[in-house]
Amino acid sequence: MSTATETLARAADTARLAPSVHNTQPWRWVVQGSSLSLYAVPGRQLREQDPAGRLLLVSCGAALHHARVALDASGWTYDVARSAGDGSTTADDATPLAVVHASQAGPADPGAMRRLQLLQVRRTDRRVVSDEPVSAAVREALVAAAGQEGSRLHLLTRDQVLQLAVVIEHAGDAERHDERMRAETAEWVGGDRPSGTGLPDTVIPAELPLTTVAERDFGVSGNLPAGSGHDEAAAYAVLYGDGDEPSDWLRAGEALSEIWLAATEHGAAVLPLSSPVELDFTRQALRRMLGEVGYPYLVLRLGTTDPDHAGPAHTPRLPVEQVVEILD
Ligand SMILES: Cc1cc2nc3c(=O)[nH]c(=O)nc-3n(C[C@H](O)[C@H](O)[C@H](O)COP(=O)(O)O)c2cc1C
């Protein structure tokens, strides 16, 4: 039987697999005895595209959820105290965003082990979606997954998808014409990425597909064959919630990870589209699309991808020694 410290260290190691904006992995973990603390790493915040730290905290929330799934699978009981946004700055590196306390070892749970395996195969797939839409039952499961983690998922109507296409085009134009944003993207995207962060060429489409809602234009061509289809069969959704504070963003990340886990279980592909939440004017436009009933955190494309062709490779991760510190 593993000790609490070993189990928590393994959970933090698993959390390296979490999705993060531009694969910045803006988190670090400290294990001490039976507690595991999650910290933001302000040095990996996108200062131009994410000045408030919204996407940084969504990313850290996804990592926290990954650690929770790993702990569920271990059989240990635990509780989580979240403190993001307690009057501290959003991306402070001295105040933990959350502290997990492990209390008691128990038998491993097969259902939770299956969820852990799903996190290990999850990845961002930027290929065009196939003609097979995500079924109504699966869409409902994804809405329920968001609700389970305290956020909400709004599936856009056909008219709203057309509005989204315009909003995304405006966000893309604004970011393309901003030299500092372009430079920031170039810092994180393209090439081999031997450092273990950022997006390598292998996961970036060789050519941007012609779709109603544009995928993010990273300004470089990768070598992922994206396919020649359209996005007719894709569904688009907005992840949103009642508040727009750091604590809401962390919870949104936990919801994103739960949604993605459910989608992976049902063979659906998720592609986050964050450019419309990065700019004030497009974020306001998204909020109006929600009827101003909540605050948007992220746009998601939901679809199924061609099962006969291998998807993109896994995106690299930072080595565990750089992310997880074990104190005596
Ligand atoms: C908050 C957030 C925002 C993201 N925004 C985008 C985006 O706008 N476009 C995109 O192609 N991928 C986006 N991604 C996906 C990341 O690039 C991806 O998670 C990361 O490169 C790690 O790769 P993986 O998900 O395959 O493990 C986003 C992910 C997160 C968590």
Side-chain angles (χ1 to χ4, degrees), residues 19-21 23 122-124 126 199 216 218 272 274 315 317:
S20 60
V21 62
N23 197 26
R122 180 217 61 82
R123 69 187 85 175
T124 303
R126 298 180 182 83
L199 272 70
R216 190 177 192 120
F218 289 107
S274 55
T315 307
R317 290 297 189 269

Side-chain angles (χ1 to χ4, degrees), residues 58-122:
V58 170
S59 305
C60 289
L64 176 59
H65 181 268
H66 273 54
R68 286 172 44 204
V69 173
L71 287 173
D72 291 339
S74 76
W76 274 78
T77 53
Y78 64 92
D79 58 75
V80 182
R82 295 170 185 79
S83 47
D86 283 4
S88 60
T89 55
T90 57
D92 173 345
D93 57 0
T95 316
L97 300 171
V99 180
V100 180
H101 287 284
S103 38
Q104 209 177 350
D109 170 351
M113 284 168 82
R114 161 101 184 111
R115 282 165 54 80
L116 178 59
Q117 284 167 353
L118 290 168
L119 289 187
Q120 285 158 348
V121 294
R122 180 217 61 82

Side-chain angles (χ1 to χ4, degrees), residues 216-302:
R216 190 177 192 120
D217 180 359
F218 289 107
V220 289
S221 304
N223 47 37
L224 175 71
S228 56
H230 202 263
D231 62 345
E232 281 298 270
Y236 288 90
V238 179
L239 177 64
Y240 73 104
D242 293 336
D244 206 16
E245 299 296 327
S247 54
D248 302 305
W249 306 335
L250 189 78
R251 290 309 309 256
E254 293 178 80
L256 171 67
S257 178
E258 181 64 39
I259 292 166
W260 217 326
L261 197 160
T264 309
E265 182 175 16
H266 295 290
V270 175
L271 175 61
L273 300 169
S274 55
S275 60
V277 295
E278 289 162 17
L279 302 157
D280 287 341
F281 79 102
T282 49
R283 200 170 59 252
Q284 296 310 330
L286 274 184
R287 181 159 149 70
R288 284 193 295 277
M289 280 169 59
L290 295 172
E292 310 210 358
V293 295
Y295 296 89
Y297 309 132
L298 202 58
V299 172
L300 302 179
R301 184 194 75 179
L302 309 170

